[in-house]
Amino acid sequence: MAKAKTKFVCQDCGYESPKWLGKCPGCEAWNTLVEEVETKVMTQGVLPVSGLSQEKAVSITEIAGALDPRIRTENRELDRVLGGGIVPGSLILVGGDPGIGKSTLLLQTSHSLTLAGRKALYISGEESARQTKLRADRLGALSPLLYVLCETNLERIDEAIEKVAPDFVVIDSIQTVYHPAVTSAPGSVSQVRECTSHFMRLAKTKGIAIVLVGHVTKEGAIAGPRLLEHMVDCVLYFEGERHHTYRLLRAVKNRFGSTNEIGIFEMREAGLAEIANPSELFLSERPRGVSGSTVVASMEGTRPMLVELQALVSPTTFPSPRRMSTGFDYNRMSLIMAVLEKRNGLFLQSQDAYLNVAGGVRLDEPAVDLGVAVSIASSFKDRPTRPDDVVFGEIGLTGEVRGVSRIEQRVREAEKLGFKRIILPAISLKGWIPPEGIAVKGVNTVAEALAAALDE
Ligand SMILES: Nc1ncnc2c1ncn2[C@@H]1O[C@H](COP(=O)(O)OP(=O)(O)OP(=O)(O)O)[C@@H](O)[C@H]1O
Ligand SMILES: [Mg+2]
């Protein structure tokens, strides 16, 4: 009998090598090559799903169904992240840390779709039907149109989809499913790739929306090759701090919508609840009238969010001071500190500096810069900021404050939450009349902003 041919495949990037290597030449990761038995399935699948390749080229104007209505999930946060609802025939990948609530989110979504008269099939490869039932009981997600199957064999999953004919399928998780014709272990690159491309064909040919749950590696990327992210239509990450109850849903790829929207949920006993006003939540524990604390208005997609920034600057005797940043880019923080040092004469070289975005959110918008500068300066000088100020603006290397977009929405949000004064880029004020109830202070430089915010 001929010896089975084996190869070594990088579990991160899918690089293949005939012999084992400590370091993957493809992605430079260490110890990621795993031996897999070579198989020749692919293309003409053993499974009875017709390939897309049999279709002929047609004029784009003749293609029917361009106005495919999106399926609303009745979960406003999820709909927002997806760009208005689920597109039938799309393949969505949801990744997230263990225990973050992926199964909860998808079980709830399946249930709310059944309320609108659609059939949902929830396939679990990780939990028994009883466990799923227990969770459904707790979430109040019991509906005759919600079908549950505990299966990991792709052929049987196929049969079930054929029999139930659902509109929406959840595969929890893609790493547990195996293709019987592929000899590698479930969760290996070959299996994940083969199963995903199978679900892709299934979704496209039958017009079913399929959601795959993906495990996340230590580094936070979806386990399996990057390839997986290329194959699907939509990649969502479900994230949150272990010690907080709220969760963020973020799209990193979306073929049918924008990727800068986020959805915010709170994990409760009865499942995930939508959070309609995130600013209130993020500001709920804010101390008032202390140094180092500033509220910034950041846009998350089309929604403004007020978040508190905290800085702590304290002298150190070590030659290289410590700098630490949570929820904000470390390099950007160093840059802002350099501007403060050079342009505003703050002697920060001998100071440790810590920056924290309260509530565990991540801010990556340049408009947050000015808030960071004010927080650091306030802590350094030990001068408190006013508790009813909101600050935003981008900082340039010469110490100028640059304009930001959508100031009206930011100001309106601040007004709604009872803030009294906004410090913002003067340049953004052009051609806009600020509302009555709130003072607006336009600034051109960081120095002006510090003078206003710290009452110097
Ligand atoms: N009775 C409860 N009350 C409140 N929260 C609960 C309760 N039971 C579970 N949870 C929350 O639900 C989380 C588990 O959710 P879920 O099983 O959906 O996560 P998951 O992302 O699917 O996990 P896994 O990676 O193991 O599949 C727990 O970490 C906990 O925060
Ligand atoms: Mg789960």
Side-chain angles (χ1 to χ4, degrees):
M1 204 179 87
K3 214 173 137 206
K5 242 181 149 178
T6 64
K7 61 186 174 181
F8 292 84
V9 184
C10 171
Q11 301 297 306
D12 277 2
C13 71
Y15 180 90
E16 291 178 10
S17 156
K19 62 179 192 331
W20 188 82
L21 299 167
K23 184 180 178 183
C24 169
C27 63
E28 315 228 306
W30 286 93
N31 234 346
T32 54
L33 266 71
V34 169
E35 186 171 20
E36 289 184 7
V37 181
E38 208 160 334
T39 40
K40 293 196 181 67
V41 252
M42 317 285 279
T43 46
Q44 299 306 313
V46 200
L47 302 169
V49 177
S50 62
L52 289 171
S53 56
Q54 282 153 15
E55 289 179 14
K56 278 202 226 81
V58 284
S59 158
I60 195 156
T61 53
E62 287 164 22
I63 300 173
L67 289 175
D68 246 359
R70 287 177 186 251
I71 310 172
R72 296 213 168 265
T73 60
E74 298 311 322
N75 179 333
R76 263 175 301 146
E77 300 295 303
L78 178 64
D79 281 347
R80 183 205 319 274
V81 175
L82 288 170
I86 298 174
V87 175
S90 65
L91 188 63
I92 301 165
L93 178 64
V94 177
D97 287 331
I100 202 81
K102 303 177 290 294
S103 309
T104 308
L105 175 73
L106 294 171
L107 196 60
Q108 274 184 294
T109 308
S110 307
H111 176 245
S112 59
L113 286 172
T114 61
L115 294 184
R118 296 181 195 270
K119 237 189 239 175
L121 174 60
Y122 187 94
I123 297 167
S124 178
E126 300 186 337
E127 289 164 276
S128 65
R130 275 178 59 98
Q131 279 176 310
T132 308
K133 172 81 196 298
L134 267 178
R135 177 180 292 123
D137 271 336
R138 177 164 56 86
L139 305 177
L142 300 173
S143 155
L145 287 176
L146 174 56
Y147 291 77
V148 177
L149 172 72
C150 295
E151 185 56 73
T152 52
N153 184 333
L154 192 60
E155 270 178 2
R156 284 200 223 118
I157 291 177
D158 252 6
E159 282 165 21
I161 293 176
E162 196 70 44
K163 219 176 267 165
V164 175
D167 302 289
F168 181 71
V169 176
V170 176
I171 310 286
D172 190 0
S173 66
I174 185 70
Q175 273 89 2
T176 56
V177 179
Y178 71 95
H179 194 307
V182 179
T183 43
S184 319
S188 65
V189 173
S190 330
Q191 282 287 7
V192 168
R193 191 163 45 197
E194 208 52 51
C195 294
T196 308
S197 68
H198 180 78
F199 286 125
M200 184 68 168
R201 286 196 297 273
L202 203 65
K204 302 291 160 192
T205 49
K206 300 205 167 188
I208 311 171
I210 302 184
V211 179
L212 309 176
V213 173
H215 289 172
V216 160
T217 60
K218 274 205 297 295
E219 291 78 35
I222 290 182
R226 280 310 302 229
L227 198 98
L228 191 56
E229 298 194 3
H230 288 295
M231 286 161 87
V232 300
D233 295 312
C234 216
V235 181
L236 308 181
Y237 274 92
F238 203 39
E239 42 188 50
E241 296 277 317
R242 196 154 282 282
H243 307 289
H244 291 288
T245 54
Y246 50 85
R247 308 276 184 262
L248 303 184
L249 186 68
R250 205 181 276 281
V252 284
K253 163 178 171 177
N254 191 351
R255 285 188 180 147
F256 314 108
S258 129
T259 53
N260 46 21
E261 297 287 357
I262 63 169
I264 303 174
F265 300 90
E266 190 179 351
M267 179 62 93
R268 302 208 181 128
E269 166 92 42
L272 291 158
E274 301 166 24
I275 291 193
N277 197 338
S279 305
E280 255 167 42
L281 174 82
F282 292 132
L283 296 178
S284 56
E285 293 170 60
R286 183 167 64 107
R288 299 176 147 255
V290 293
S291 68
S293 158
T294 315
V295 176
V296 293
S298 170
M299 294 299 298
E300 287 292 339
T302 51
R303 175 163 59 174
M305 229 164 62
L306 299 187
V307 186
E308 186 202 356
L309 283 180
Q310 294 188 333
L312 181 67
V313 178
S314 68
T316 175
T317 49
F318 289 105
S320 59
R322 264 180 84 88
R323 303 272 137 100
M324 216 178 79
S325 158
T326 321
F328 186 74
D329 182 38
Y330 175 83
N331 293 324
R332 191 93 198 150
M333 170 186 170
S334 306
L335 184 148
I336 293 168
M337 290 182 73
V339 170
L340 285 173
E341 177 130 18
K342 182 93 178 167
R343 309 284 172 196
N344 302 89
L346 267 56
F347 192 68
L348 295 168
Q349 278 166 24
S350 56
Q351 308 281 332
D352 284 343
Y354 306 93
L355 183 73
N356 183 30
V357 180
V361 240
R362 243 205 101 68
L363 300 177
D364 43 18
E365 211 204 2
V368 179
D369 289 358
L370 198 59
V372 173
V374 169
S375 275
I376 291 174
S378 157
S379 177
F380 175 68
K381 298 184 178 184
D382 214 5
R383 288 182 76 94
T385 50
R386 289 199 212 168
D388 43 18
D389 273 0
V390 170
V391 181
F392 60 86
E394 182 180 347
I395 294 180
L397 292 186
T398 64
E400 84 274 21
V401 174
R402 299 171 152 258
V404 299
S405 59
R406 298 182 192 255
I407 58 165
E408 288 178 60
Q409 274 166 286
R410 295 178 209 253
V411 171
R412 218 178 304 130
E413 178 79 1
E415 193 189 4
K416 211 165 71 190
L417 286 165
F419 286 88
K420 298 278 181 312
R421 187 174 69 153
I422 316 266
I423 298 175
L424 46 67
I427 195 140
S428 300
L429 284 174
K430 279 197 190 124
W432 175 65
I433 301 151
E436 294 272 300
I438 196 157
V440 171
K441 168 95 181 128
V443 293
N444 290 303
T445 62
V446 175
E448 281 176 41
L450 294 186
L454 306 178
D455 290 315
E456 286 177 332

